């Protein structure tokens, strides 16, 4: 079944992925492409959205998209930078704003009887993020909306299905943002909203059957949501021809290796567990640099995985749980404007000696969509509700070098924290939680003796996609009990702190 698609041209905005997610919440399939490397055939797309950008259209280095195949030919929505670009280079004027327009604002004028603004009233809250402002609209433009500080907050080009907005509808702070996107995509561009989890499962399984035939596939399971959902899709398509390998890198949570193995067997998957803890810890000996730790873990995982894969006769494919943000974030700044934040060892980096073809059933999905797809296949809610856990595991939650004793301490601390969240009914209200072992010893008193032991930080965040996150205001009583339990039960820890920084500027993980 062919679905209508929406093309999002990325100019480097931190919110570009949010545009794609908002569009998909409308059951419409969307794809992000760098503005300077668009798809070869834009006719495959029903509508186009131009993203925001940290760049100024007034700069000599301003990004110049080629819109010749789009503008006037396809419905187009220009957001923030896109709106300023249309104005600046099409007969309007963009100037530096007297005050940086950033944060919440409210619409003070909304043009009546406009399909684009259906259901959106004066006073609706929007989110601004720009330092330039549109002083004069482009040729043939009609004003659609204003705020008190931004006169030209929304406009359309007459004679075209081209719309432009100075605010960000994709951000939660724009309370009617989803309505506006629906107005544009469904009511103006006539995009059919038929891309659902059920349709994804059906089409993906059929596609995998056609792609793989009777070939054997090997997949590295991590215990997380992505690899588990990928495994179930493949299992539906090829059954026993899927060989799953679950590697214990010695950096998993307490008892996770045995518990997850049991869970997978209950799902009917063909799984082999491999305990390679010593091999990983040996590779990490005396290494403190976070990126080098990631690379060492990635390298050893590939070596261990390759040893195991080579024991399977005639395997042709390597399956991976790559999801869409991995694909987007792994595009370098030279290939597109969105910069890589850190290395992903599940995109690229495979050695030549693993001469296997790659199959990635989830590479079109965001994390929340992966969960919905798993739910539509009837997968265990506990597994689908698991917090994200970093590929390098506890290695990037132990700041500094890794030892078996540090891993033991952190596993015990983490178990107290995570089990406490579950017992208090807080686990499902948190997007991700974990403990961090700090390279700090502090003075304490236990009994009548002074101690000089480790300090741990607890971290719990709320998020929908991991791109932005707020720290969770956990009840003081819970934090008090958790701190007491950790200090009393975990030998080697005498101080607990709680991380109250949000992303940005802080990341979710400490390394």
């Amino acid at each position: 079944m062919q679905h209508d698609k929406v093309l999002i041209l990325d100019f480097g905005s931190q919110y570009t992925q949010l545009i794609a997610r908002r569009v998909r919440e409308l059951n419409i399939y969307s794809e992000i492409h760098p503005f300077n490397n668009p798809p070869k055939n834009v006719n495959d797309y029903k509508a186009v959205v131009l993203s925001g950008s940290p760049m100024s259209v007034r700069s000599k280095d301003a990004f110049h998209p080629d819109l010749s195949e789009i503008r006037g030919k396809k419905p187009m929505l220009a957001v923030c930078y896109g709106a300023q670009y249309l104005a600046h280079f099409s007969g309007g004027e963009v100037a530096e704003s007297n005050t940086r327009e950033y944060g919440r604002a409210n619409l003070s004028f909304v043009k009546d009887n406009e399909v684009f603004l259906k259901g959106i009233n004066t006073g609706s809250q929007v989110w601004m993020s720009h330092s330039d402002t549109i002083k004069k609209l482009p040729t043939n433009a009609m004003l659609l909306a204003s705020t008190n500080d931004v006169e030209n907050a929304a406009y359309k080009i007459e004679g075209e299905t081209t719309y432009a907005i100075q605010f960000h509808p994709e951000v939660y702070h724009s309370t009617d943002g989803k309505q506006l996107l629906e107005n544009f995509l469904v009511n103006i561009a006539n995009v059919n909203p038929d891309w659902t989890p059920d349709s994804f499962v059906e089409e993906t399984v059929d596609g995998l059957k056609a792609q793989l035939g009777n070939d054997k596939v090997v997949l590295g399971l991590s215990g997380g949501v992505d690899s588990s959902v990928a495994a179930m899709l493949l299992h539906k398509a090829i059954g026993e021809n899927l060989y799953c390998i679950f590697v214990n890198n010695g950096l998993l949570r307490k008892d996770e290796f045995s518990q997850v193995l049991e869970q997978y067997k209950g799902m009917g998957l063909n799984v082999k567990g491999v305990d390679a803890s010593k091999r990983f810890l040996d590779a990490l000996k005396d290494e403190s640099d976070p990126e080098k730790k990631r690379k060492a873990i990635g390298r050893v995982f590939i070596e261990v995985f390759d040893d195991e894969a080579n024991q399977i006769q005639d395997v042709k494919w390597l399956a991976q749980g790559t999801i869409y943000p991995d694909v987007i974030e792994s595009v370098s700044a030279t290939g597109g404007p969105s910069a890589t934040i850190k290395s992903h060892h599940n995109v690229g980096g495979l050695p030549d000696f693993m001469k296997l073809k790659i199959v990635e059933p989830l590479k079109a999905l965001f994390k929340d969509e992966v969960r919905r797809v798993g739910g539509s296949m009837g997968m265990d809610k506990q597994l689908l509700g698991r917090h994200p856990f970093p590929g390098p595991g506890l290695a990037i939650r132990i700041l500094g070098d890794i030892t078996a004793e540090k891993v033991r301490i952190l596993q015990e601390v983490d178990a107290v924290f995570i089990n406490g969240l579950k017992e208090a009914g807080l686990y499902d209200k948190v997007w991700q939680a974990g403990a961090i072992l700090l390279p700090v010893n502090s003075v304490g008193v236990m009994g009548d003796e002074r101690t000089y032991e480790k300090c741990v930080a607890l971290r719990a965040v709320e998020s929908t996609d991991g791109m932005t996150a707020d720290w969770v205001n956990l009840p003081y009583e819970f934090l008090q009990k958790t701190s007491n339990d950790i200090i009393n039960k975990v030998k080697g820890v005498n101080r607990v702190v709680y991380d109250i920084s949000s992303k940005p500027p802080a990341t979710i993980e400490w390394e």
Side-chain angles (χ1 to χ4, degrees):
M1 177 182 173
Q2 283 293 98
H3 297 279
D4 289 345
K5 299 193 291 186
V6 172
L7 169 63
I8 298 163
L9 290 181
D10 179 23
F11 293 89
S13 168
Q14 62 176 324
Y15 300 136
T16 302
Q17 287 191 33
L18 288 181
I19 300 174
R21 288 190 60 255
R22 287 289 167 273
V23 171
R24 291 182 180 199
E25 284 174 9
L26 298 168
N27 291 333
I28 293 170
Y29 181 69
S30 60
E31 284 180 359
I32 297 171
H33 289 264
F35 79 92
N36 55 359
N37 188 20
K40 287 187 172 60
N41 191 0
V42 295
N43 288 325
D44 291 343
Y45 301 85
K46 198 82 181 275
V48 179
V49 179
L50 309 183
S51 86
S53 174
M55 186 69 72
S56 167
V57 295
R58 299 179 300 106
S59 162
K60 62 180 174 54
D61 300 319
F63 296 141
H64 288 281
D66 178 4
L67 300 177
S68 58
E69 295 300 310
I70 299 168
R71 186 169 169 188
K73 299 177 181 177
K74 288 193 168 294
M76 183 172 78
L77 174 61
V79 176
C80 199
Y81 180 88
Q84 294 178 352
Y85 182 87
L86 290 182
H88 192 63
F89 294 103
S90 302
E93 182 191 347
V94 175
E96 186 174 5
S97 176
N98 294 331
T99 56
R100 178 164 161 73
E101 293 159 353
Y102 184 86
R104 294 173 177 84
N106 298 91
L107 297 180
S108 57
F109 161 72
V110 175
K111 192 171 187 306
D112 292 333
N113 302 318
E114 276 294 331
V115 176
F116 184 60
L117 298 169
K118 179 185 169 191
I120 301 172
N121 300 314
T122 304
S124 177
Q125 180 178 284
V126 296
W127 183 262
M128 296 287 186
S129 179
H130 54 272
S131 52
D132 289 343
T133 195
I134 300 169
K135 292 289 188 189
K136 180 185 166 193
L137 292 176
T139 306
N140 296 328
M142 176 190 290
L143 180 66
L144 298 181
S146 309
T147 71
N148 287 330
D149 295 324
V150 181
E151 182 185 359
N152 298 311
Y155 64 88
K156 71 176 180 181
I157 307 290
E158 297 195 83
E160 303 177 15
T161 33
T162 298
Y163 291 78
I165 49 176
Q166 184 60 84
F167 54 89
H168 288 271
E170 68 275 21
V171 177
Y172 275 115
H173 306 301
S174 290
T175 47
D176 294 316
K178 189 173 176 183
Q179 177 68 53
L180 184 137
L181 288 170
E182 184 174 359
N183 289 343
F184 171 71
L185 293 170
V186 178
N187 300 329
I188 293 170
N190 296 315
V191 180
N192 188 15
D194 62 355
W195 197 69
T196 63
D198 287 347
S199 71
F200 178 86
V201 171
E202 186 181 333
E203 289 157 31
T204 300
V205 169
D206 287 347
L208 289 170
K209 285 177 178 174
Q211 181 183 12
L212 303 172
N214 288 317
D215 291 351
K216 291 181 182 176
V217 178
V218 65
L219 167 66
L221 286 169
S222 68
V225 176
D226 301 337
S227 66
S228 303
V229 174
M232 285 304 290
L233 285 166
L234 285 157
H235 180 66
K236 276 179 170 289
I238 61 171
E240 287 294 307
N241 274 351
L242 172 65
Y243 293 78
C244 299
I245 297 167
F246 181 33
V247 177
N248 181 8
N249 59 13
L251 301 159
L252 302 174
R253 289 179 150 145
K254 185 181 179 183
D255 300 329
E256 188 171 27
F257 184 56
S258 56
Q259 289 170 0
V260 172
L261 263 182
E262 282 305 307
Q263 193 169 28
Y264 281 141
K265 284 170 184 165
M267 291 160 64
L269 294 175
N270 179 14
V271 186
K272 179 180 181 183
V274 181
D275 190 350
S277 309
K278 185 175 184 306
R279 196 161 164 181
F280 281 90
L281 288 173
D282 287 348
L284 288 165
K285 189 172 168 52
D286 300 327
E287 185 53 73
S288 297
D289 180 86
E291 200 63 12
K292 288 180 180 172
K293 285 197 285 191
R294 285 176 181 276
K295 284 180 176 161
I297 290 164
R299 185 190 73 247
V300 176
F301 175 80
I302 287 166
E303 290 169 1
V304 171
F305 190 82
D306 194 62
D307 290 346
E308 295 300 324
N310 282 332
Q311 294 177 34
I312 305 165
Q313 295 293 311
D314 301 322
V315 67
K316 298 275 179 66
W317 296 84
L318 171 67
Q320 292 186 301
T322 309
I323 62 174
Y324 198 36
D326 297 333
V327 176
I328 299 164
E329 287 181 18
S330 296
V331 173
S332 70
T334 52
S338 291
T340 302
I341 304 300
K342 61 176 181 269
S343 64
H344 287 278
H345 61 253
N346 59 337
V347 179
L350 290 170
D352 292 337
F353 56 77
M354 284 188 77
K355 294 190 169 63
L356 300 176
K357 292 179 279 188
I358 305 291
V359 57
E360 297 169 310
L362 306 177
K363 69 179 179 182
L365 299 183
F366 288 100
K367 174 73 81 175
D368 53 323
E369 294 174 317
V370 173
R371 287 196 167 101
R372 287 202 292 273
V373 164
S376 78
M377 291 190 289
M379 289 176 65
D380 186 281
K381 284 182 182 172
Q382 272 195 314
L383 177 59
L384 295 176
R386 281 185 62 149
H387 292 173
F389 189 65
L394 299 180
I396 58 169
R397 292 182 179 174
I398 296 172
L399 306 198
D401 67 318
I402 312 292
T403 65
E405 174 62 5
K406 287 181 182 178
V407 172
R408 179 200 68 78
I409 290 173
L410 190 56
Q411 283 179 331
E412 296 292 340
V413 170
D414 181 86
V416 171
F417 185 31
I418 298 301
N419 291 336
L421 286 169
K422 289 177 178 173
E423 287 164 13
L426 295 168
Y427 185 84
D428 292 335
K429 296 174 182 172
V430 172
W431 192 74
Q432 183 170 340
I436 299 93
L437 185 64
L438 305 182
V440 172
N441 279 24
S442 71
V443 173
V445 177
M446 288 190 180
D448 295 326
E449 294 183 9
R450 286 166 70 84
T451 61
Y452 198 56
E453 293 181 334
K454 293 291 181 192
C455 173
V456 294
L458 305 183
R459 181 90 160 121
V461 298
E462 296 173 311
S463 182
T464 52
D465 46 37
M467 291 168 55
T468 60
D470 289 322
W471 62 277
V472 178
N473 192 358
L474 292 174
Y476 285 146
E477 296 78 12
F478 171 79
L479 290 172
Q480 183 180 35
K481 181 180 187 305
T482 303
S483 174
N484 287 343
D485 285 349
I486 288 169
I487 291 169
N488 289 332
K489 294 176 181 176
V490 183
K491 191 169 184 290
V493 176
N494 69 356
R495 191 174 298 268
V496 177
V497 299
Y498 187 53
D499 180 350
I500 58 168
S501 40
S502 293
K503 176 186 179 181
T507 51
I508 294 175
E509 299 294 344
W510 280 42
E511 286 192 340

